[in-house]
């Protein structure tokens, strides 16, 4: 079995220019910790319930729990978080998936 850790964000962009800056900083920090974007800025199709048209979904895959926690606590991620305070609102979830 293969265990992967995912960071799932529900994002509402408040300022597109700041959000672009945040994305660049976040992507750099994510790569440094072995992460990769699986879904970036997608507008989901709600087949049950409703989904606000202003909100997007981001899914980032990390090799394991330790790496995602190292990334989240890193100074590079903290730099991105400073920009995020004014750019997008988000709800962040860490989810472990087992495959195989």
């Amino acid at each position: 079995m293969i265990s992967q850790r995912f960071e799932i964000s529900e994002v509402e962009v408040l300022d597109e220019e700041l959000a672009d800056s945040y994305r660049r900083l976040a992507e750099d920090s994510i790569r440094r910790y072995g992460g990769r974007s699986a879904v970036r800025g997608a507008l989901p199709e709600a087949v049950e319930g409703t989904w606000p048209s202003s909100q997007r979904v981001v899914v980032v895959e990390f090799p394991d729990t330790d790496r995602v926690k190292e990334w989240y606590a890193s100074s590079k991620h903290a730099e991105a978080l400073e920009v995020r305070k004014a750019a997008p609102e988000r709800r962040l979830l860490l989810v472990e998936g087992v495959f195989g």
Side-chain angles (χ1 to χ4, degrees):
M1 283 200 244
I2 299 170
S3 177
Q4 294 289 107
R5 189 73 174 195
F6 296 91
E7 174 257 318
I8 302 172
S9 298
E10 175 186 318
V11 179
E12 181 174 3
V13 175
L14 304 175
D15 180 309
E16 196 62 51
E17 189 175 314
L18 286 174
D20 285 342
S21 295
Y22 167 73
R23 278 190 284 269
R24 283 191 299 276
L25 290 168
E27 287 174 5
D28 180 55
S29 71
I30 288 165
R31 279 192 298 275
R32 290 172 185 255
Y33 288 87
R36 72 168 191 86
S37 293
V39 175
R40 185 174 53 205
L43 177 59
E45 179 182 349
V47 293
E48 289 188 25
T50 59
W51 186 269
S53 63
S54 63
Q55 294 186 348
R56 302 294 184 260
V57 173
V58 176
V59 179
V60 177
E61 179 182 14
F62 284 88
D64 57 48
T65 299
D66 290 339
R67 295 302 281 173
V68 73
K69 289 183 177 180
E70 288 171 12
W71 162 75
Y72 191 78
S74 73
S75 62
K76 283 293 186 186
H77 182 242
E79 186 180 335
L81 287 177
E82 281 302 310
V83 175
R84 187 197 59 82
K85 287 179 183 177
E89 285 286 326
R90 82 170 172 187
R91 185 178 345 203
L92 179 70
L93 306 168
L94 300 180
V95 180
E96 186 164 351
V98 179
F99 306 94

